[in-house]
Amino acid sequence: MGNLRSVRPSVLGAALLACAALALAGCSSADTAGAVRTPSSTPATPTAAAEPDPVVMDEDQSAPAVCGQLSALSTVTLNARVGLQQGDVTQAELEALLAAARFGYEHLSSTDTRLSNAIAYTQRYLEEHPAPASGPALDDSPEWDLAMRSLNTACQESGSSVVSTAQYGG
């Protein structure tokens, strides 16, 4: 991949969102390493092709997992906004990254009561402030800042942290 400073922020953001999506899925699955498939003695026809076994994944809704997701979402939004200021991210890229981050916030859930309450508060805010047809899907208002602080506090009270990795220093 090379030097992270030479990677376009949109590529880095997409990679971080992919990690967040994996974290949302739970990243755990049954061990399939021991499964052995033997070839059939008759050629398979298109209608008789074997369907792959579905992989069942449990979503990890623990505080550490959710706070890790929040770290990824926070990193994406921070770097997208600063990247726009630095001229490394276009307005369209910023809007795409913020829309993806919003999707992540809208789909958070946790088994931790403190986090569940903060998530519910954040999701209520998002419902009351729908994404515009054009423009950033997440605003930079004092109310949104309060929602983010409530999530950060809930993570800290649950023994986890939210950490944003700043591409542009800090």
Side-chain angles (χ1 to χ4, degrees):
M1 179 177 220
N3 183 350
L4 282 180
R5 294 202 183 271
S6 66
V7 176
R8 292 214 19 109
S10 59
V11 174
L12 182 60
L16 288 171
L17 283 175
C19 291
L22 287 174
L24 284 171
C27 295
S28 64
S29 65
D31 180 21
T32 57
V36 177
R37 295 192 185 264
T38 58
S40 172
S41 60
T42 58
T45 61
T47 58
E51 292 290 324
D53 294 333
V55 176
V56 178
M57 299 177 76
D58 295 325
E59 180 180 2
D60 187 351
Q61 296 181 338
S62 67
V66 173
C67 295
Q69 293 171 34
L70 290 170
S71 293
L73 295 170
S74 174
T75 295
V76 168
T77 57
L78 168 70
N79 288 318
R81 286 187 169 127
V82 176
L84 179 69
Q85 294 170 353
Q86 297 289 323
D88 293 336
V89 173
T90 67
Q91 184 66 34
E93 290 170 328
L94 170 75
E95 291 174 14
L97 289 167
L98 293 181
R102 181 185 182 104
F103 178 85
Y105 287 115
E106 289 172 337
H107 291 87
L108 286 174
S109 61
S110 179
T111 54
D112 183 280
T113 304
R114 290 170 288 235
L115 272 169
S116 292
N117 292 337
I119 289 169
Y121 174 79
T122 301
Q123 291 172 343
R124 266 193 315 277
Y125 174 84
L126 292 171
E127 288 172 7
E128 294 169 2
H129 298 85
S134 64
L138 293 174
D139 59 26
D140 201 12
S141 68
E143 294 83 10
W144 179 247
D145 184 55
L146 180 60
M148 294 299 91
R149 283 188 279 133
S150 70
L151 289 169
N152 289 340
T153 300
C155 281
Q156 289 173 349
E157 290 174 352
S158 297
S160 295
S161 298
V162 175
V163 178
S164 298
T165 304
Q167 178 177 349
Y168 298 94

